[in-house]
Amino acid sequence: MAEFDVGLEAARIADASARAGVEASARFSRSGPVVGKAESHGVAVSVAPGGLLVGLAISRSALRSGSDALASLIMELSGRATRRAGDRMNEVLSPVLDQDQLVSLGYERLTEDDPDAQYS
């Protein structure tokens, strides 16, 4: 049975991680900020990957729809924008990480026929 060198394996993993980090940083420098956007009925949301709200615009007409309807629309659009941000992160990082890793991080590719794939 061959011996397993934990120190050597840890060094290999650290080196691979460092290279992936450098490559990811370079890709983000070229792509710019990754943001998902969605809008409908006078409401526009922008989110960072993972769903952190970074922008919200509400028209006067949208305010007239009532707080429950407005909250529901904002939540729906936030979900759509989050999926779009995940798709964009997948696109940016796919040369650096394999698809299983990206999916485990929540960055799934959207198919062309997915309604959320239609960027506004």
Side-chain angles (χ1 to χ4, degrees):
M1 181 193 270
E3 285 192 36
F4 183 75
D5 187 336
V6 174
L8 182 62
E9 189 63 17
R12 185 191 66 76
I13 292 170
D15 183 54
S17 177
R19 281 193 314 263
V22 168
E23 189 174 342
S25 291
R27 294 191 61 78
F28 284 122
S29 293
R30 289 190 300 272
S31 75
V34 175
V35 176
K37 297 179 179 183
E39 63 182 87
S40 180
H41 303 300
V43 176
V45 300
S46 300
V47 302
L52 176 67
L53 187 66
V54 295
L56 175 63
I58 303 172
S59 70
R60 289 185 185 271
S61 63
L63 289 171
R64 289 190 279 267
S65 65
S67 59
D68 288 343
L70 183 58
S72 178
L73 180 58
I74 291 170
M75 293 303 295
E76 175 190 334
L77 294 174
S78 295
R80 180 172 293 151
T82 299
R83 292 190 71 221
R84 289 175 176 170
D87 178 69
R88 181 73 176 116
M89 281 291 282
N90 187 298
E91 180 183 331
V92 171
L93 291 176
S94 62
V96 179
L97 301 172
D98 66 37
Q99 280 301 307
D100 289 340
Q101 291 170 316
L102 291 166
V103 169
S104 74
L105 293 169
Y107 305 141
E108 296 187 49
R109 289 294 295 167
L110 300 177
T111 61
E112 288 182 24
D113 62 339
D114 189 314
D116 290 344
Q118 304 302 314
Y119 290 84
S120 51

